Amino acid sequence: MKVLIAEDERRLSDALVRILEDAHYQVDAVYNGSDGLIYAEMGDYDVFVCDVMLPGRDGFSIVRELRHKGIATPTIMLTAKGELSDKVQGLDSGADDYMTKPFQPAELLARLRALMRREGAVVLDELKVGDLMLDLQTHDLTCVGKVVHLSYKEFSVLNLLMANARTTVTKDMLIDKVWGVDSDAADNNVEAYISFLRKKLSFVGSRSEIVTLRKIGYRFNFNEAK
Ligand code: CA
């Protein structure tokens, strides 16, 4: 289980990292809002623990941005004591739970377990972009009634491209996210999967396309369904 913590109070962050690592979670800690968003977008986290008041970018806007991009990582917001409206705003922004500071770090463990138990209920089960619908459970890709099944890697590549539609996704991002940071997957692995996906997009008759940006990566461009 991988957990991302965005919290600028070092002592609290260090305490959370320690207790989570003791409980055998893999933990990444970042200390400002911009890093929080970048890590949450790129890392494959099971849970995101996000402070509300962060330098750079506040926790609510991070979660809204993630949800907007189709990233459904279960999220616990950390709020300061007494800021009751934070709870409402936190849940509105797409957060799944919140904790009021100060709290016992051990309480976070209980919340994490609860969140993972109901993870199935909060995770989005499909991603719709343009004329395409990607089923995040079955890995079926549908376009106006026509369906094709994607292999796990094809699904992972297309999921990342669709979630970042109309923005550049570099080859390094794809390799890190789909094959893993430590993998020695080469560029031509990525190219092979892009080529499989183009065939499948064409098979279902989609007007969306994966554009190659030479020496950089790819961009998923879409047209609205007719
Ligand atoms: Ca803070």
Side-chain angles (χ1 to χ4, degrees):
M1 284 296 191
K2 280 178 73 181
V3 179
L4 173 65
I5 299 176
E7 166 60 73
D8 58 312
E9 289 165 49
R10 286 288 180 137
R11 282 180 56 191
L12 176 58
S13 177
D14 291 348
L16 296 178
V17 169
R18 216 174 309 121
I19 199 157
L20 289 174
E21 284 181 347
D22 285 350
H24 307 292
Y25 290 93
Q26 248 181 287
V27 190
D28 287 337
V30 295
Y31 309 102
N32 65 65
S34 330
D35 287 351
L37 181 61
I38 292 168
Y39 275 70
E41 275 182 17
M42 294 310 308
D44 218 353
Y45 296 101
D46 298 292
V47 177
F48 179 30
V49 178
C50 185
D51 186 29
V52 171
M53 296 301 291
L54 285 170
R57 179 158 193 156
D58 78 78
F60 296 132
S61 87
I62 294 174
V63 177
R64 266 194 300 273
E65 175 92 23
L66 291 175
R67 298 303 184 249
H68 179 70
K69 289 185 167 168
I71 299 166
T73 312
T75 300
I76 302 179
M77 309 291 298
L78 306 181
T79 73
K81 196 179 179 189
E83 291 172 334
L84 264 185
S85 66
D86 278 2
K87 177 188 179 184
V88 178
Q89 218 189 332
L91 298 174
D92 276 357
S93 69
D96 302 286
D97 197 2
Y98 82 104
M99 288 181 69
T100 305
K101 295 192 241 181
F103 55 83
Q104 294 297 318
E107 196 190 337
L108 182 64
L109 286 179
R111 299 289 187 106
L112 284 183
R113 283 192 294 264
L115 201 51
M116 283 166 184
R117 273 198 298 274
R118 64 184 179 90
E119 183 175 3
V122 297
V123 167
L124 295 176
D125 55 7
E126 58 188 40
L127 177 60
K128 285 185 183 156
V129 180
D131 58 6
L132 290 172
M133 195 270 278
L134 183 60
D135 190 311
L136 305 183
Q137 309 297 326
T138 64
H139 303 172
D140 284 339
L141 179 69
T142 305
C143 176
V144 208
K146 210 164 177 199
V147 186
V148 67
H149 185 72
L150 303 185
S151 73
Y152 183 71
K153 283 240 175 8
E154 289 169 347
F155 163 79
S156 306
V157 169
L158 188 60
N159 188 18
L160 189 63
L161 290 171
M162 284 173 68
N164 295 284
R166 290 179 175 163
T167 56
T168 300
V169 175
T170 65
K171 279 187 176 172
D172 286 346
M173 283 162 79
L174 281 163
I175 290 173
D176 286 357
K177 180 89 177 176
V178 177
W179 281 266
V181 177
D182 300 325
S183 97
D184 48 13
D187 283 4
N188 52 13
N189 276 43
V190 179
E191 283 159 21
Y193 278 92
I194 295 290
S195 146
F196 298 154
L197 284 169
R198 283 181 176 140
K199 289 196 179 106
K200 292 196 170 176
L201 289 178
S202 144
F203 175 78
V204 295
S206 174
R207 299 161 71 215
S208 308
E209 56 178 355
I210 301 169
V211 177
T212 302
L213 305 166
R214 194 162 289 281
K215 293 191 175 157
I216 301 171
Y218 302 94
R219 181 185 296 140
F220 182 83
N221 280 348
F222 63 94
N223 294 301
E224 297 305 330
K226 273 188 218 166

